[in-house]
Amino acid sequence: MTDEEILHAFRTAKEHEPPLEAIIAAREQRETITPHLLGLLRRWDTDAAVMMEEGDWICPGIAILLLGEFREAQAHELIVSICRKDEVVLDFLFADDVFDNARPMAATFSGDLEPLKLLVKDREADQFARAVALSAMTALLQQGHLSKESVEQFFADLFHGGLEREENHVWNELTNLCGDLCMTRLLPEVRKAFAEGLCDETYAGLSNIEIAMEGRDPWMGYRREQRFAEIDVLEELKGWPYFQPKREIGKDSAGNDFGLFDEETVLPPSYAPSAFESVTQPIRNEAPKIGRNDPCPCGSGKKYKKCCGMPF
């Protein structure tokens, strides 16, 4: 495949059909395809409105993943700059969660920490993108590119005026990462942030952060492994809802939809439609309403609309 054919395959990829052949070809033609991928990101960085009119969100998403897999340092500032766009642009580009982990930012790190710092402190930027920049710093620390002292000092600066004193997801991620990194010196500041209502207790929780600082969090090792994980574009695309295998809507005996299942799924007897047909009282959800742009209460760090609130 030529470089142009690869990009065309990305742009025209159909639902449920990831462009596997084109990705493999891009890997084989890394030297020639990289300038095209960088050029695409530059166009998004300089003229996002025009790019949105073209309607292509798949190609830039794959481009970011490929450049992350290639560890292309020229992509770092472009990715960070794009993440400083408004929520309309970010939702258009990253609705399939390309940016809900920090690995592309960390993988393309050029050695200059200033772009990440500026994103974290940018009060006009999307709160989730700012939080991702913090996670990227943590990944860089754990990979040995940054010292714990430098990151801890930056976090301390955020507590002492670097962040606006109002609840948002940046505070959730900042306090959570202090726990993951066992920054016990910052525990008084973490407690103060919770006391002032800057953090969502359902995201991580002060008690869980305190446990993490003591090194007793059983999930800490898993999160560390995730930050070290290499980017594999083919594996990443398996997690995009757009490329999920085609599913069928199940029907009950009255012909009503009752769920989405893989075509091969065999329901156990307790979950067969007849098990629900005898229910006479409606089930009411008594839990507080969750906004689509709120952090998902499951603790994934994603927006609700891109996690448990994602429509099938």
Side-chain angles (χ1 to χ4, degrees), residues 255-287:
N256 300 313
D257 298 343
F258 65 83
L260 288 162
F261 300 94
D262 291 326
E263 296 175 5
E264 299 83 6
T265 300
V266 177
L267 296 177
S270 60
Y271 286 88
S274 60
F276 297 96
E277 291 172 358
S278 62
V279 177
T280 58
Q281 297 297 321
I283 299 174
R284 294 182 173 84
N285 182 7
E286 303 295 340

PDB file of all heavy atoms in Angstrom, residues 255-287:
ATOM      1  N   GLY A 255     -41.631  -9.485  21.833  1.00  0.00           N
ATOM      2  CA  GLY A 255     -40.952  -8.770  20.773  1.00  0.00           C
ATOM      3  C   GLY A 255     -40.288  -7.489  21.201  1.00  0.00           C
ATOM      4  O   GLY A 255     -39.841  -6.693  20.370  1.00  0.00           O
ATOM      5  N   ASN A 256     -40.169  -7.268  22.522  1.00  0.00           N
ATOM      6  CA  ASN A 256     -39.538  -6.058  23.030  1.00  0.00           C
ATOM      7  C   ASN A 256     -38.034  -6.266  23.191  1.00  0.00           C
ATOM      8  O   ASN A 256     -37.587  -7.354  23.558  1.00  0.00           O
ATOM      9  CB  ASN A 256     -40.138  -5.658  24.382  1.00  0.00           C
ATOM     10  CG  ASN A 256     -41.618  -5.395  24.291  1.00  0.00           C
ATOM     11  OD1 ASN A 256     -42.071  -4.685  23.390  1.00  0.00           O
ATOM     12  ND2 ASN A 256     -42.393  -5.974  25.212  1.00  0.00           N
ATOM     13  N   ASP A 257     -37.255  -5.209  22.934  1.00  0.00           N
ATOM     14  CA  ASP A 257     -35.813  -5.283  23.139  1.00  0.00           C
ATOM     15  C   ASP A 257     -35.525  -5.412  24.621  1.00  0.00           C
ATOM     16  O   ASP A 257     -36.124  -4.732  25.437  1.00  0.00           O
ATOM     17  CB  ASP A 257     -35.127  -4.008  22.633  1.00  0.00           C
ATOM     18  CG  ASP A 257     -35.340  -3.814  21.139  1.00  0.00           C
ATOM     19  OD1 ASP A 257     -35.719  -4.780  20.476  1.00  0.00           O
ATOM     20  OD2 ASP A 257     -35.118  -2.679  20.658  1.00  0.00           O
ATOM     21  N   PHE A 258     -34.584  -6.291  24.975  1.00  0.00           N
ATOM     22  CA  PHE A 258     -34.200  -6.371  26.377  1.00  0.00           C
ATOM     23  C   PHE A 258     -32.701  -6.337  26.593  1.00  0.00           C
ATOM     24  O   PHE A 258     -32.229  -6.436  27.704  1.00  0.00           O
ATOM     25  CB  PHE A 258     -34.769  -7.625  27.057  1.00  0.00           C
ATOM     26  CG  PHE A 258     -34.225  -8.937  26.530  1.00  0.00           C
ATOM     27  CD1 PHE A 258     -33.024  -9.445  26.991  1.00  0.00           C
ATOM     28  CD2 PHE A 258     -34.929  -9.660  25.576  1.00  0.00           C
ATOM     29  CE1 PHE A 258     -32.531 -10.647  26.516  1.00  0.00           C
ATOM     30  CE2 PHE A 258     -34.432 -10.866  25.109  1.00  0.00           C
ATOM     31  CZ  PHE A 258     -33.244 -11.359  25.571  1.00  0.00           C
ATOM     32  N   GLY A 259     -31.911  -6.142  25.551  1.00  0.00           N
ATOM     33  CA  GLY A 259     -30.473  -6.022  25.766  1.00  0.00           C
ATOM     34  C   GLY A 259     -29.678  -6.259  24.512  1.00  0.00           C
ATOM     35  O   GLY A 259     -30.213  -6.693  23.492  1.00  0.00           O
ATOM     36  N   LEU A 260     -28.398  -5.993  24.592  1.00  0.00           N
ATOM     37  CA  LEU A 260     -27.487  -6.193  23.485  1.00  0.00           C
ATOM     38  C   LEU A 260     -26.538  -7.328  23.816  1.00  0.00           C
ATOM     39  O   LEU A 260     -25.914  -7.331  24.863  1.00  0.00           O
ATOM     40  CB  LEU A 260     -26.682  -4.920  23.225  1.00  0.00           C
ATOM     41  CG  LEU A 260     -27.485  -3.769  22.590  1.00  0.00           C
ATOM     42  CD1 LEU A 260     -26.741  -2.464  22.794  1.00  0.00           C
ATOM     43  CD2 LEU A 260     -27.684  -4.024  21.115  1.00  0.00           C
ATOM     44  N   PHE A 261     -26.441  -8.277  22.918  1.00  0.00           N
ATOM     45  CA  PHE A 261     -25.594  -9.443  23.185  1.00  0.00           C
ATOM     46  C   PHE A 261     -24.844  -9.819  21.922  1.00  0.00           C
ATOM     47  O   PHE A 261     -25.309  -9.588  20.806  1.00  0.00           O
ATOM     48  CB  PHE A 261     -26.444 -10.640  23.646  1.00  0.00           C
ATOM     49  CG  PHE A 261     -27.220 -10.386  24.901  1.00  0.00           C
ATOM     50  CD1 PHE A 261     -28.532  -9.949  24.852  1.00  0.00           C
ATOM     51  CD2 PHE A 261     -26.613 -10.538  26.142  1.00  0.00           C
ATOM     52  CE1 PHE A 261     -29.234  -9.691  26.015  1.00  0.00           C
ATOM     53  CE2 PHE A 261     -27.312 -10.287  27.307  1.00  0.00           C
ATOM     54  CZ  PHE A 261     -28.639  -9.857  27.242  1.00  0.00           C
ATOM     55  N   ASP A 262     -23.661 -10.402  22.096  1.00  0.00           N
ATOM     56  CA  ASP A 262     -22.951 -10.946  20.952  1.00  0.00           C
ATOM     57  C   ASP A 262     -23.818 -12.016  20.306  1.00  0.00           C
ATOM     58  O   ASP A 262     -24.608 -12.693  20.972  1.00  0.00           O
ATOM     59  CB  ASP A 262     -21.624 -11.590  21.389  1.00  0.00           C
ATOM     60  CG  ASP A 262     -20.642 -10.528  21.860  1.00  0.00           C
ATOM     61  OD1 ASP A 262     -20.671  -9.421  21.293  1.00  0.00           O
ATOM     62  OD2 ASP A 262     -19.870 -10.816  22.791  1.00  0.00           O
ATOM     63  N   GLU A 263     -23.622 -12.201  19.015  1.00  0.00           N
ATOM     64  CA  GLU A 263     -24.442 -13.163  18.294  1.00  0.00           C
ATOM     65  C   GLU A 263     -24.306 -14.573  18.862  1.00  0.00           C
ATOM     66  O   GLU A 263     -25.232 -15.369  18.818  1.00  0.00           O
ATOM     67  CB  GLU A 263     -24.047 -13.156  16.807  1.00  0.00           C
ATOM     68  CG  GLU A 263     -24.340 -11.812  16.136  1.00  0.00           C
ATOM     69  CD  GLU A 263     -23.841 -11.774  14.706  1.00  0.00           C
ATOM     70  OE1 GLU A 263     -23.360 -12.823  14.235  1.00  0.00           O
ATOM     71  OE2 GLU A 263     -23.941 -10.708  14.068  1.00  0.00           O
ATOM     72  N   GLU A 264     -23.123 -14.869  19.439  1.00  0.00           N
ATOM     73  CA  GLU A 264     -22.898 -16.227  19.937  1.00  0.00           C
ATOM     74  C   GLU A 264     -23.369 -16.412  21.382  1.00  0.00           C
ATOM     75  O   GLU A 264     -23.337 -17.514  21.924  1.00  0.00           O
ATOM     76  CB  GLU A 264     -21.407 -16.560  19.882  1.00  0.00           C
ATOM     77  CG  GLU A 264     -20.796 -16.518  18.489  1.00  0.00           C
ATOM     78  CD  GLU A 264     -20.417 -15.103  18.064  1.00  0.00           C
ATOM     79  OE1 GLU A 264     -20.526 -14.201  18.912  1.00  0.00           O
ATOM     80  OE2 GLU A 264     -20.039 -14.910  16.898  1.00  0.00           O
ATOM     81  N   THR A 265     -23.787 -15.312  22.027  1.00  0.00           N
ATOM     82  CA  THR A 265     -24.113 -15.384  23.444  1.00  0.00           C
ATOM     83  C   THR A 265     -25.302 -16.297  23.702  1.00  0.00           C
ATOM     84  O   THR A 265     -26.332 -16.206  23.041  1.00  0.00           O
ATOM     85  CB  THR A 265     -24.430 -13.978  24.002  1.00  0.00           C
ATOM     86  OG1 THR A 265     -23.285 -13.166  23.825  1.00  0.00           O
ATOM     87  CG2 THR A 265     -24.792 -14.050  25.479  1.00  0.00           C
ATOM     88  N   VAL A 266     -25.140 -17.217  24.649  1.00  0.00           N
ATOM     89  CA  VAL A 266     -26.254 -18.057  25.097  1.00  0.00           C
ATOM     90  C   VAL A 266     -26.583 -17.636  26.519  1.00  0.00           C
ATOM     91  O   VAL A 266     -25.749 -17.733  27.417  1.00  0.00           O
ATOM     92  CB  VAL A 266     -25.887 -19.561  25.060  1.00  0.00           C
ATOM     93  CG1 VAL A 266     -27.043 -20.384  25.597  1.00  0.00           C
ATOM     94  CG2 VAL A 266     -25.516 -19.970  23.644  1.00  0.00           C
ATOM     95  N   LEU A 267     -27.791 -17.160  26.735  1.00  0.00           N
ATOM     96  CA  LEU A 267     -28.160 -16.672  28.056  1.00  0.00           C
ATOM     97  C   LEU A 267     -28.463 -17.829  28.999  1.00  0.00           C
ATOM     98  O   LEU A 267     -29.149 -18.785  28.619  1.00  0.00           O
ATOM     99  CB  LEU A 267     -29.405 -15.775  27.953  1.00  0.00           C
ATOM    100  CG  LEU A 267     -29.242 -14.487  27.146  1.00  0.00           C
ATOM    101  CD1 LEU A 267     -30.578 -13.759  27.083  1.00  0.00           C
ATOM    102  CD2 LEU A 267     -28.199 -13.605  27.767  1.00  0.00           C
ATOM    103  N   PRO A 268     -27.961 -17.770  30.236  1.00  0.00           N
ATOM    104  CA  PRO A 268     -28.319 -18.794  31.216  1.00  0.00           C
ATOM    105  C   PRO A 268     -29.805 -18.682  31.540  1.00  0.00           C
ATOM    106  O   PRO A 268     -30.418 -17.623  31.370  1.00  0.00           O
ATOM    107  CB  PRO A 268     -27.460 -18.434  32.427  1.00  0.00           C
ATOM    108  CG  PRO A 268     -27.145 -16.989  32.265  1.00  0.00           C
ATOM    109  CD  PRO A 268     -27.060 -16.749  30.795  1.00  0.00           C
ATOM    110  N   PRO A 269     -30.428 -19.773  32.036  1.00  0.00           N
ATOM    111  CA  PRO A 269     -31.867 -19.767  32.309  1.00  0.00           C
ATOM    112  C   PRO A 269     -32.313 -18.614  33.193  1.00  0.00           C
ATOM    113  O   PRO A 269     -33.376 -18.036  32.987  1.00  0.00           O
ATOM    114  CB  PRO A 269     -32.088 -21.122  32.992  1.00  0.00           C
ATOM    115  CG  PRO A 269     -30.992 -21.990  32.473  1.00  0.00           C
ATOM    116  CD  PRO A 269     -29.809 -21.075  32.301  1.00  0.00           C
ATOM    117  N   SER A 270     -31.504 -18.240  34.190  1.00  0.00           N
ATOM    118  CA  SER A 270     -31.914 -17.192  35.116  1.00  0.00           C
ATOM    119  C   SER A 270     -31.992 -15.832  34.450  1.00  0.00           C
ATOM    120  O   SER A 270     -32.586 -14.904  34.984  1.00  0.00           O
ATOM    121  CB  SER A 270     -30.939 -17.124  36.297  1.00  0.00           C
ATOM    122  OG  SER A 270     -29.634 -16.838  35.834  1.00  0.00           O
ATOM    123  N   TYR A 271     -31.369 -15.698  33.245  1.00  0.00           N
ATOM    124  CA  TYR A 271     -31.405 -14.429  32.543  1.00  0.00           C
ATOM    125  C   TYR A 271     -32.245 -14.501  31.273  1.00  0.00           C
ATOM    126  O   TYR A 271     -32.228 -13.592  30.460  1.00  0.00           O
ATOM    127  CB  TYR A 271     -29.982 -13.972  32.188  1.00  0.00           C
ATOM    128  CG  TYR A 271     -29.228 -13.460  33.367  1.00  0.00           C
ATOM    129  CD1 TYR A 271     -28.498 -14.341  34.161  1.00  0.00           C
ATOM    130  CD2 TYR A 271     -29.266 -12.119  33.725  1.00  0.00           C
ATOM    131  CE1 TYR A 271     -27.813 -13.878  35.270  1.00  0.00           C
ATOM    132  CE2 TYR A 271     -28.575 -11.661  34.835  1.00  0.00           C
ATOM    133  CZ  TYR A 271     -27.853 -12.539  35.595  1.00  0.00           C
ATOM    134  OH  TYR A 271     -27.177 -12.081  36.699  1.00  0.00           O
ATOM    135  N   ALA A 272     -32.948 -15.586  31.095  1.00  0.00           N
ATOM    136  CA  ALA A 272     -33.822 -15.702  29.938  1.00  0.00           C
ATOM    137  C   ALA A 272     -34.958 -14.695  30.057  1.00  0.00           C
ATOM    138  O   ALA A 272     -35.323 -14.289  31.154  1.00  0.00           O
ATOM    139  CB  ALA A 272     -34.391 -17.132  29.848  1.00  0.00           C
ATOM    140  N   PRO A 273     -35.563 -14.282  28.940  1.00  0.00           N
ATOM    141  CA  PRO A 273     -36.616 -13.269  28.996  1.00  0.00           C
ATOM    142  C   PRO A 273     -37.751 -13.601  29.945  1.00  0.00           C
ATOM    143  O   PRO A 273     -38.277 -12.727  30.621  1.00  0.00           O
ATOM    144  CB  PRO A 273     -37.110 -13.213  27.544  1.00  0.00           C
ATOM    145  CG  PRO A 273     -35.922 -13.628  26.740  1.00  0.00           C
ATOM    146  CD  PRO A 273     -35.202 -14.650  27.570  1.00  0.00           C
ATOM    147  N   SER A 274     -38.129 -14.910  30.036  1.00  0.00           N
ATOM    148  CA  SER A 274     -39.251 -15.285  30.893  1.00  0.00           C
ATOM    149  C   SER A 274     -38.993 -14.960  32.350  1.00  0.00           C
ATOM    150  O   SER A 274     -39.922 -14.775  33.131  1.00  0.00           O
ATOM    151  CB  SER A 274     -39.549 -16.783  30.739  1.00  0.00           C
ATOM    152  OG  SER A 274     -38.402 -17.532  31.102  1.00  0.00           O
ATOM    153  N   ALA A 275     -37.720 -14.870  32.734  1.00  0.00           N
ATOM    154  CA  ALA A 275     -37.399 -14.583  34.131  1.00  0.00           C
ATOM    155  C   ALA A 275     -37.789 -13.168  34.513  1.00  0.00           C
ATOM    156  O   ALA A 275     -37.944 -12.851  35.675  1.00  0.00           O
ATOM    157  CB  ALA A 275     -35.903 -14.782  34.367  1.00  0.00           C
ATOM    158  N   PHE A 276     -37.954 -12.307  33.512  1.00  0.00           N
ATOM    159  CA  PHE A 276     -38.283 -10.915  33.782  1.00  0.00           C
ATOM    160  C   PHE A 276     -39.753 -10.600  33.535  1.00  0.00           C
ATOM    161  O   PHE A 276     -40.236  -9.554  33.938  1.00  0.00           O
ATOM    162  CB  PHE A 276     -37.427 -10.003  32.885  1.00  0.00           C
ATOM    163  CG  PHE A 276     -35.961 -10.109  33.149  1.00  0.00           C
ATOM    164  CD1 PHE A 276     -35.170 -10.939  32.383  1.00  0.00           C
ATOM    165  CD2 PHE A 276     -35.368  -9.397  34.171  1.00  0.00           C
ATOM    166  CE1 PHE A 276     -33.814 -11.041  32.622  1.00  0.00           C
ATOM    167  CE2 PHE A 276     -34.007  -9.483  34.416  1.00  0.00           C
ATOM    168  CZ  PHE A 276     -33.229 -10.320  33.642  1.00  0.00           C
ATOM    169  N   GLU A 277     -40.470 -11.490  32.866  1.00  0.00           N
ATOM    170  CA  GLU A 277     -41.828 -11.170  32.455  1.00  0.00           C
ATOM    171  C   GLU A 277     -42.815 -11.152  33.608  1.00  0.00           C
ATOM    172  O   GLU A 277     -43.894 -10.589  33.489  1.00  0.00           O
ATOM    173  CB  GLU A 277     -42.283 -12.151  31.377  1.00  0.00           C
ATOM    174  CG  GLU A 277     -41.511 -11.926  30.069  1.00  0.00           C
ATOM    175  CD  GLU A 277     -41.787 -13.001  29.046  1.00  0.00           C
ATOM    176  OE1 GLU A 277     -42.552 -13.935  29.365  1.00  0.00           O
ATOM    177  OE2 GLU A 277     -41.246 -12.913  27.938  1.00  0.00           O
ATOM    178  N   SER A 278     -42.430 -11.759  34.745  1.00  0.00           N
ATOM    179  CA  SER A 278     -43.345 -11.791  35.877  1.00  0.00           C
ATOM    180  C   SER A 278     -43.204 -10.576  36.777  1.00  0.00           C
ATOM    181  O   SER A 278     -43.934 -10.421  37.735  1.00  0.00           O
ATOM    182  CB  SER A 278     -43.091 -13.060  36.708  1.00  0.00           C
ATOM    183  OG  SER A 278     -41.769 -13.036  37.221  1.00  0.00           O
ATOM    184  N   VAL A 279     -42.221  -9.707  36.477  1.00  0.00           N
ATOM    185  CA  VAL A 279     -42.020  -8.516  37.293  1.00  0.00           C
ATOM    186  C   VAL A 279     -43.172  -7.546  37.075  1.00  0.00           C
ATOM    187  O   VAL A 279     -43.480  -7.186  35.945  1.00  0.00           O
ATOM    188  CB  VAL A 279     -40.694  -7.831  36.945  1.00  0.00           C
ATOM    189  CG1 VAL A 279     -40.532  -6.551  37.750  1.00  0.00           C
ATOM    190  CG2 VAL A 279     -39.543  -8.776  37.201  1.00  0.00           C
ATOM    191  N   THR A 280     -43.820  -7.137  38.144  1.00  0.00           N
ATOM    192  CA  THR A 280     -44.979  -6.250  38.026  1.00  0.00           C
ATOM    193  C   THR A 280     -44.671  -4.837  38.469  1.00  0.00           C
ATOM    194  O   THR A 280     -45.348  -3.906  38.073  1.00  0.00           O
ATOM    195  CB  THR A 280     -46.145  -6.791  38.873  1.00  0.00           C
ATOM    196  OG1 THR A 280     -45.719  -6.907  40.232  1.00  0.00           O
ATOM    197  CG2 THR A 280     -46.593  -8.155  38.360  1.00  0.00           C
ATOM    198  N   GLN A 281     -43.660  -4.657  39.340  1.00  0.00           N
ATOM    199  CA  GLN A 281     -43.330  -3.330  39.826  1.00  0.00           C
ATOM    200  C   GLN A 281     -42.128  -2.779  39.070  1.00  0.00           C
ATOM    201  O   GLN A 281     -41.156  -3.491  38.842  1.00  0.00           O
ATOM    202  CB  GLN A 281     -43.001  -3.371  41.328  1.00  0.00           C
ATOM    203  CG  GLN A 281     -44.168  -3.803  42.198  1.00  0.00           C
ATOM    204  CD  GLN A 281     -45.324  -2.817  42.108  1.00  0.00           C
ATOM    205  OE1 GLN A 281     -45.088  -1.612  42.064  1.00  0.00           O
ATOM    206  NE2 GLN A 281     -46.537  -3.331  42.084  1.00  0.00           N
ATOM    207  N   PRO A 282     -42.191  -1.522  38.637  1.00  0.00           N
ATOM    208  CA  PRO A 282     -41.038  -0.943  37.940  1.00  0.00           C
ATOM    209  C   PRO A 282     -39.852  -0.799  38.875  1.00  0.00           C
ATOM    210  O   PRO A 282     -40.010  -0.577  40.071  1.00  0.00           O
ATOM    211  CB  PRO A 282     -41.551   0.432  37.486  1.00  0.00           C
ATOM    212  CG  PRO A 282     -42.629   0.762  38.461  1.00  0.00           C
ATOM    213  CD  PRO A 282     -43.285  -0.558  38.805  1.00  0.00           C
ATOM    214  N   ILE A 283     -38.652  -0.933  38.314  1.00  0.00           N
ATOM    215  CA  ILE A 283     -37.426  -0.747  39.078  1.00  0.00           C
ATOM    216  C   ILE A 283     -37.017   0.706  38.976  1.00  0.00           C
ATOM    217  O   ILE A 283     -36.869   1.247  37.883  1.00  0.00           O
ATOM    218  CB  ILE A 283     -36.300  -1.657  38.547  1.00  0.00           C
ATOM    219  CG1 ILE A 283     -36.720  -3.118  38.687  1.00  0.00           C
ATOM    220  CG2 ILE A 283     -34.992  -1.387  39.275  1.00  0.00           C
ATOM    221  CD1 ILE A 283     -35.751  -4.086  38.057  1.00  0.00           C
ATOM    222  N   ARG A 284     -36.854   1.360  40.104  1.00  0.00           N
ATOM    223  CA  ARG A 284     -36.505   2.775  40.112  1.00  0.00           C
ATOM    224  C   ARG A 284     -35.062   2.944  40.567  1.00  0.00           C
ATOM    225  O   ARG A 284     -34.634   2.299  41.511  1.00  0.00           O
ATOM    226  CB  ARG A 284     -37.443   3.559  41.044  1.00  0.00           C
ATOM    227  CG  ARG A 284     -38.886   3.589  40.549  1.00  0.00           C
ATOM    228  CD  ARG A 284     -39.768   4.420  41.478  1.00  0.00           C
ATOM    229  NE  ARG A 284     -41.096   4.589  40.950  1.00  0.00           N
ATOM    230  CZ  ARG A 284     -42.082   3.703  41.103  1.00  0.00           C
ATOM    231  NH1 ARG A 284     -41.860   2.592  41.776  1.00  0.00           N
ATOM    232  NH2 ARG A 284     -43.257   3.920  40.576  1.00  0.00           N
ATOM    233  N   ASN A 285     -34.368   3.810  39.883  1.00  0.00           N
ATOM    234  CA  ASN A 285     -32.992   4.116  40.244  1.00  0.00           C
ATOM    235  C   ASN A 285     -32.989   5.247  41.267  1.00  0.00           C
ATOM    236  O   ASN A 285     -33.354   6.378  40.955  1.00  0.00           O
ATOM    237  CB  ASN A 285     -32.209   4.540  38.989  1.00  0.00           C
ATOM    238  CG  ASN A 285     -30.758   4.813  39.302  1.00  0.00           C
ATOM    239  OD1 ASN A 285     -30.296   4.560  40.416  1.00  0.00           O
ATOM    240  ND2 ASN A 285     -30.036   5.326  38.319  1.00  0.00           N
ATOM    241  N   GLU A 286     -32.580   4.941  42.495  1.00  0.00           N
ATOM    242  CA  GLU A 286     -32.586   5.927  43.566  1.00  0.00           C
ATOM    243  C   GLU A 286     -31.263   6.681  43.667  1.00  0.00           C
ATOM    244  O   GLU A 286     -31.107   7.585  44.477  1.00  0.00           O
ATOM    245  CB  GLU A 286     -32.868   5.245  44.917  1.00  0.00           C
ATOM    246  CG  GLU A 286     -34.179   4.455  44.943  1.00  0.00           C
ATOM    247  CD  GLU A 286     -35.406   5.342  44.783  1.00  0.00           C
ATOM    248  OE1 GLU A 286     -35.283   6.572  45.034  1.00  0.00           O
ATOM    249  OE2 GLU A 286     -36.470   4.826  44.412  1.00  0.00           O
ATOM    250  N   ALA A 287     -30.284   6.307  42.836  1.00  0.00           N
ATOM    251  CA  ALA A 287     -28.966   6.938  42.909  1.00  0.00           C
ATOM    252  C   ALA A 287     -29.022   8.354  42.357  1.00  0.00           C
ATOM    253  O   ALA A 287     -29.883   8.678  41.537  1.00  0.00           O
ATOM    254  CB  ALA A 287     -27.944   6.113  42.116  1.00  0.00           C
TER     255      ALA A 287
END
